Amino acid sequence: MKFGSPCFTAFVSVAVCVLCGCATAPRSGVERQAAEVKVYEPGRLAQGQYDRVRYLWVDSWRTAFWLPTYSNEAEGIASLQAEAARLGANGLINLGCRDQGRSMWSRSREPAILCYGIAIRTH
């Protein structure tokens, strides 16, 4: 397959269409699911009332290089709810948000809030 040939052009066109189709999702469905993810206060659920789905923002190799930060707590919690919904969870426990301060390497003067928690599926 030569660069610029009709086969190459067709291949690239199909690849772009497939990747674009995989990357798009109806936004309203994701937002609706995220809104259904409940944040539980400490001590509200007993250990046997839920299954842990995944730790959010702390159990990935990527966190050794980059942590997602937000300009406020509400934005961070909404992001955690969206990620939990994507994973099939319906709740969050051990939720915490910490102000990471302003990076001296960043030109942005906005606060850097880091939020984390555990995505769970209640019984």
Side-chain angles (χ1 to χ4, degrees), residues 12-24:
V12 170
S13 298
V14 169
V16 168
C17 289
V18 168
L19 291 174
C20 288
C22 293
T24 59

Side-chain angles (χ1 to χ4, degrees), residues 92-113:
L92 289 168
I93 59 171
N94 296 346
L95 184 68
C97 292
R98 304 288 181 258
D99 187 351
Q100 301 298 300
R102 290 166 180 80
S103 170
M104 65 182 197
W105 305 108
S106 173
R107 291 183 180 184
S108 172
R109 299 311 297 161
E110 291 185 16
I113 307 294

Side-chain angles (χ1 to χ4, degrees), residues 1-2 4-12:
M1 211 179 310
K2 278 178 111 177
S5 71
C7 288
F8 181 77
T9 304
F11 173 75
V12 170

Side-chain angles (χ1 to χ4, degrees), residues 41-55:
E41 297 295 322
R44 294 281 302 194
L45 292 174
Q47 184 67 31
Q49 293 180 311
Y50 63 89
D51 294 319
R52 183 179 60 84
V53 175
R54 187 167 157 196
Y55 292 102

Side-chain angles (χ1 to χ4, degrees), residues 10 22-23 29 37 46 53 61 65 73 75 87 102:
C22 293
V37 173
V53 175
W61 63 269
F65 303 102
E73 260 187 56
E75 187 180 313
L87 295 169
R102 290 166 180 80

Side-chain angles (χ1 to χ4, degrees), residues 54-71:
R54 187 167 157 196
Y55 292 102
L56 298 179
W57 310 141
V58 293
D59 69 347
S60 168
W61 63 269
R62 284 176 246 160
T63 57
F65 303 102
W66 173 78
L67 291 171
T69 57
Y70 304 93
S71 58

